[in-house]
Amino acid sequence: DQQVKQNSPSLSVQEGRISILNCDYTNSMFDYFLWYKKYPAEGPTFLISISSIKDKNEDGRFTVFLNKSAKHLSLHIVPSQPGDSAVYFCAASIQGGSEKLVFGKGMKLTVNP
Amino acid sequence: DTEVTQTPKHLVMGMTNKKSLKCEQHMGHRAMYWYKQKAKKPPELMFVYSYEKLSINESVPSRFSPECPNSSLLNLHLHALQPEDSALYLCASSQDMTSGRAEAETQYFGPGTRLLVL
């Protein structure tokens, strides 16, 4: 049973436009959510996170929104740049719990110049 | 500084070989993790060490043997692997895994070791 879902396997956007990456989760116990970016043959790079006590967290071009009632989060990248082209993983965990990060399957973002 | 280093970057081994993967972090993190990642799949957790003690073993075959010599180092010893074990092996660390503080539980990943078993 997949607890963290990234239902769209890929997204293509034009440079300068907004990229919106979506993630849904099923476990209501999750209270900490993270986004990682991964280039081929490299380790995931931590991008941004949000705790369930917030509904928005912003860091430069990256903003994560959390809708707890819908069990949905999204990552907004604006403006998108070609260097943002990578696979993005959404992950969730329970703070102070068994530490496991539960990952979604990932979504490939392509930003076209 | 959020750097986790891993060596070697690439490794090719036969099914009868014994090899080790190494991971190092100098961020003072007390939790360290091994993950396995196959192409187009998310990372799969293998082992977790917390304060240098094995905290989680995700039912990993005994041909993988983790070791945490000190708080900065994490090894993964490999013996008698199978071709299906070929994957990217990722190490990660976090400040703490039981603090209940979000920032302390954020995991930072190394670049990985690309393993090919022939």
Side-chain angles (χ1 to χ4, degrees), chain B:
Chain B
D1 181 16
T2 56
E3 189 177 28
V4 177
T5 59
Q6 288 187 244
T7 55
K9 194 171 176 64
H10 301 278
L11 180 62
V12 180
M13 60 186 289
M15 289 189 283
T16 58
N17 291 159
K18 283 185 181 181
K19 297 286 184 184
S20 297
L21 309 184
K22 297 186 183 303
C23 174
E24 192 166 359
Q25 56 86 15
H26 294 289
M27 297 178 278
H29 288 179
R30 302 313 300 270
M32 296 185 77
Y33 311 77
W34 280 116
Y35 287 84
K36 171 182 177 179
Q37 186 174 26
K38 291 277 209 178
K40 300 188 179 180
K41 299 282 188 183
E44 295 176 39
L45 183 66
M46 300 174 72
F47 303 103
V48 182
Y49 273 82
S50 178
Y51 289 85
E52 298 155 56
K53 294 199 183 317
L54 184 63
S55 172
I56 293 178
N57 175 343
E58 289 285 302
S59 303
V60 179
S62 59
R63 57 186 184 268
F64 295 91
S65 175
E67 178 196 18
C68 190
N70 61 54
S71 60
S72 300
L73 292 174
L74 187 66
N75 298 323
L76 186 61
H77 303 296
L78 314 172
H79 174 54
L81 294 194
Q82 305 296 310
E84 59 265 29
D85 296 321
S86 299
L88 181 68
Y89 287 83
L90 295 163
C91 174
S93 71
S94 64
Q95 284 181 31
D96 198 336
M97 56 181 249
T98 58
S99 68
R101 293 183 299 113
E103 299 75 20
E105 297 184 17
T106 299
Q107 293 183 27
Y108 295 92
F109 286 81
T113 293
R114 174 70 60 187
L115 174 67
L116 177 62
V117 182
L118 300 175

Side-chain angles (χ1 to χ4, degrees), chain A residues 1-93:
Chain A
D1 179 33
Q2 211 182 334
Q3 297 186 70
V4 177
K5 301 177 185 178
Q6 294 178 258
N7 292 318
S8 300
S10 63
L11 173 68
S12 184
V13 301
Q14 208 62 29
E15 181 178 5
R17 306 295 291 269
I18 186 170
S19 296
I20 299 177
L21 291 72
N22 293 306
C23 179
D24 297 294
Y25 61 98
T26 58
N27 188 343
S28 57
M29 296 293 291
F30 288 146
D31 57 5
Y32 186 48
F33 304 89
L34 309 92
W35 285 95
Y36 287 88
K37 169 182 176 179
K38 188 179 184 302
Y39 294 117
E42 292 185 11
T45 301
F46 170 69
L47 265 181
I48 192 169
S49 63
I50 188 166
S51 175
S52 60
I53 59 174
K54 296 184 178 181
D55 54 18
K56 176 183 174 181
N57 189 24
E58 192 171 354
D59 184 2
R61 296 186 298 114
F62 302 92
T63 302
V64 57
F65 295 93
L66 175 62
N67 182 334
K68 289 184 289 293
S69 60
K71 295 194 181 71
H72 176 84
L73 63 153
S74 60
L75 174 68
H76 293 210
I77 307 173
V78 57
S80 302
Q81 299 173 354
D84 296 328
S85 298
V87 175
Y88 288 78
F89 289 97
C90 170
S93 70

